[in-house]
Amino acid sequence: MTWIRNRPLGLVYRDPALSEGGYTLFCSVRGHTATLLDPEGRVVHRWHHPQGIQHLHLLENGNLLIQTLPPEDAGGAEQIGGSAEVLAELDWESRVVWEYRDVLMHHDYVRMGDGHHLVVAWDKLPEELNHRVQGGHHVEDDPRPMWADVVKEIDPAGEIVREWRSWEHLSFEEDRICPLESHKEWTHTNSIDLTPEGDWLMSFRLTDTVALIDGRSGEVKWRWGPGELSHQHCASWLENGHLLLFDNGCHRRRAPTFSRVVEFDPEKREIVWNYLDRTILGFYSFMGSGCERLASGNTFITESATGRMFEVTPERETVWEWVSPWVLPSRFGPTPAVFRAHRIAADDPRLAGRSPSPEPYETLNRRIAAHEVLGEEDDACPED
C-alpha cells in the first residue's frame, strides 16, 4: 500500500452486498488497547491492559485472550520480534481473570478444549548442536548458544505438563535458515494451529516451512514451503483439509518482493487458490500479517506493516477495507502495524449478551472519519 502523506485512514471501502459483514477485532503492535469495529468501520468496544496487547483471540466464553508486550529482560530474547511476557484472559470490562507469565514466550498460543494451552517459546539450543544448524550467515552479536523454539503445554494452574523441543524433532539437514538471516535463532515459529485430529500446524519463518506435527508423538508428519514460500505467517487449517497462510515474500527467490495469500492442498501438494494484488508490488508486508477464511468463502486479510485490514471474494475482489490510524513507536520507527486481525460474525455466540455500540466512542470515531492520525495518548485507555 502506497505511503502517501495523507493516505486514507479508517474505512476506505465497503460493499454491503458482497462483504460478509460482522465485527473486526484487532490491536496495534506495541499498543495497549484492543479494538472492535462494526461493519461500518466504527469503534464499538475496546479492551485495555497496562502491559500492552499485541496479539489476541476471542475465546469461546466471550473473553479476550491476549499476549502483552515484551519483558524488560529475557536474556536477549526480548529483542527478537514477537517476544511477549504475559498470556492473559480479559473479560468484557478488561478485568484479568487468568494469566500465565513466561518471559521467553513469543508469537502464538492455542487454548485447547480441556483448558490447557499450547504456548510457543524460546529456549537455548544445546550448544553441542549449534554447529549442525545450516544456512544463514554469522554476525558478531549472534548469541551463543543460539535460540531455538519449544512448545509448552500449560495446564490451567500454569504448570508445564509437556514440552516439545524443536531440535528433537526437526531436521538440521532439511530445516535450513534463509541465507539472508543470521544465526540469532533457528526456526522462528510464528504460528501454531490445531487440526480436528489434534495435530499441530506450525509455521517456521526462517526456514520458509510449514509443517504438520503429530500432536501425540511430536514427530513431523509432513512439511512444505522451501523454494515456494518466503518467511510466511499465520498458517491455519481449513474445514476442507487445506491450509491457508500469508506468504510475506520478503526474501523471495528469483522474483520481486511481494506478498500473497495462499491456499494449499496438502494431499495434492499444490496451491489451489491465491490472492495477490493485480499490481504485484501493491500488496506487501515484510512482517507479521494474517488471513482467515470466512463462512461466506471470502477471505479476511491483515497486511501487518501498513495497518491495513481487508476482505476479498473468491474472485479476489476487495469488498471491505480499513486502515488503522494508530501510529505508535516501534523498533522500525513510527508504525501503524497490526500483527493479526480477526473477523467476528455478527451473530457469533461469543458476543451473546454483549451490546457493542459506537455511541461511547463518538469522539474517537469522528476523529478516525476525519482521517486523523492517532498516537500513544489515544491508545492509553478505552474511551468511556
Side-chain angles (χ1 to χ4, degrees):
M1 183 178 182
T2 303
W3 288 79
I4 59 176
R5 174 172 174 156
N6 297 309
R7 69 175 188 151
L9 300 173
L11 187 67
V12 176
Y13 179 74
R14 176 180 178 236
D15 185 327
L18 295 179
S19 173
E20 184 172 298
Y23 298 96
T24 297
L25 175 67
F26 77 98
C27 58
S28 298
V29 172
R30 301 289 172 170
H32 290 75
T33 301
T35 300
L36 191 68
L37 306 173
D38 67 8
E40 288 77 34
R42 300 174 299 183
V43 176
V44 294
H45 189 70
R46 304 186 84 195
W47 296 260
H48 175 75
H49 192 283
Q51 289 183 259
I53 301 176
Q54 64 177 355
H55 182 31
L56 44 70
H57 288 290
L58 191 64
L59 297 171
E60 294 302 316
N61 61 8
N63 288 345
L64 196 67
L65 191 61
I66 67 165
Q67 276 184 328
T68 64
L69 300 183
E72 290 186 7
D73 184 10
E78 75 281 357
Q79 300 297 323
I80 305 175
S83 171
E85 182 175 11
V86 181
L87 182 65
E89 180 179 346
L90 310 182
D91 68 11
W92 189 254
E93 288 76 28
S94 300
R95 293 185 291 254
V96 176
V97 299
W98 178 88
E99 71 174 24
Y100 166 74
R101 291 177 176 268
D102 182 347
V103 296
L104 292 178
M105 71 174 144
H106 66 94
H107 279 95
D108 211 1
Y109 52 86
V110 174
R111 174 170 290 186
M112 298 186 288
D114 60 2
H116 287 208
H117 297 79
L118 296 178
V119 177
V120 177
W122 283 296
D123 199 353
K124 287 293 189 177
L125 182 70
E127 193 158 7
E128 66 271 17
L129 298 178
N130 266 35
H131 73 281
R132 297 186 59 188
V133 175
Q134 300 185 36
H137 64 272
H138 294 276
V139 296
E140 290 184 1
D141 61 351
D142 283 344
R144 296 289 297 180
M146 67 194 304
W147 295 103
D149 287 312
V150 299
V151 177
K152 301 177 182 180
E153 182 177 343
I154 309 297
D155 68 14
E159 299 297 325
I160 300 173
V161 298
R162 180 187 176 194
E163 188 168 274
W164 178 90
R165 302 174 183 87
S166 57
W167 57 90
E168 295 177 351
H169 300 282
L170 299 184
S171 167
F172 290 104
E173 289 69 37
E174 295 184 81
D175 297 304
R176 303 171 62 92
I177 299 176
C178 165
L180 297 180
E181 299 288 346
S182 74
H183 274 228
K184 179 186 299 182
E185 53 174 332
W186 182 17
T187 53
H188 194 89
T189 301
N190 56 33
S191 72
I192 183 170
D193 191 32
L194 285 179
T195 73
E197 293 74 31
D199 292 330
W200 309 348
L201 180 65
M202 298 179 67
S203 167
F204 304 111
R205 181 183 186 271
L206 296 186
T207 60
D208 298 336
T209 299
V210 290
L212 188 67
I213 308 298
D214 189 295
R216 293 184 177 181
S217 69
E219 295 304 307
V220 178
K221 286 189 168 183
W222 56 255
R223 71 183 75 223
W224 172 73
E228 182 66 56
L229 300 177
S230 175
H231 294 15
Q232 75 293 326
H233 283 74
C234 194
S236 63
W237 196 264
L238 300 179
E239 292 183 357
N240 62 4
H242 297 174
L243 61 95
L244 190 72
L245 59 87
F246 191 103
D247 182 19
N248 295 70
C250 46
H251 292 158
R252 201 176 296 285
R253 302 180 185 182
R254 300 183 300 277
T257 295
F258 67 92
S259 295
R260 59 179 179 167
V261 173
V262 169
E263 180 180 346
F264 177 74
D265 183 339
E267 289 191 5
K268 296 181 179 179
R269 306 286 292 186
E270 65 181 22
I271 295 172
V272 296
W273 182 86
N274 65 44
Y275 169 82
L276 60 161
D277 198 86
R278 293 174 182 173
T279 303
I280 194 170
L281 302 180
F283 172 45
Y284 174 62
S285 176
F286 74 98
M287 58 175 280
S289 303
C291 50
E292 52 191 40
R293 182 62 44 82
L294 306 180
S296 63
N298 288 357
T299 301
F300 180 68
I301 301 170
T302 309
E303 187 181 28
S304 180
T306 63
R308 177 186 177 218
M309 295 155 269
F310 62 108
E311 178 186 351
V312 301
T313 66
E315 294 73 35
R316 304 171 180 82
E317 179 182 355
T318 299
V319 294
W320 189 91
E321 184 174 8
W322 198 90
V323 177
S324 176
W326 278 278
V327 177
L328 305 179
S330 80
R331 61 195 177 106
F332 304 113
T335 175
V338 173
F339 177 65
R340 192 184 304 168
H342 303 280
R343 176 62 60 81
I344 312 296
D347 59 353
D348 193 301
R350 293 175 293 179
L351 295 179
R354 312 295 188 188
S355 301
S357 170
E359 292 183 5
Y361 306 98
E362 181 179 353
T363 301
L364 179 60
N365 284 318
R366 186 165 57 247
R367 294 174 65 191
I368 295 173
H371 304 292
E372 182 178 338
V373 175
L374 305 177
E376 287 185 277
E377 66 278 5
D378 305 299
D379 186 69
C381 61
E383 181 178 337
D384 296 319

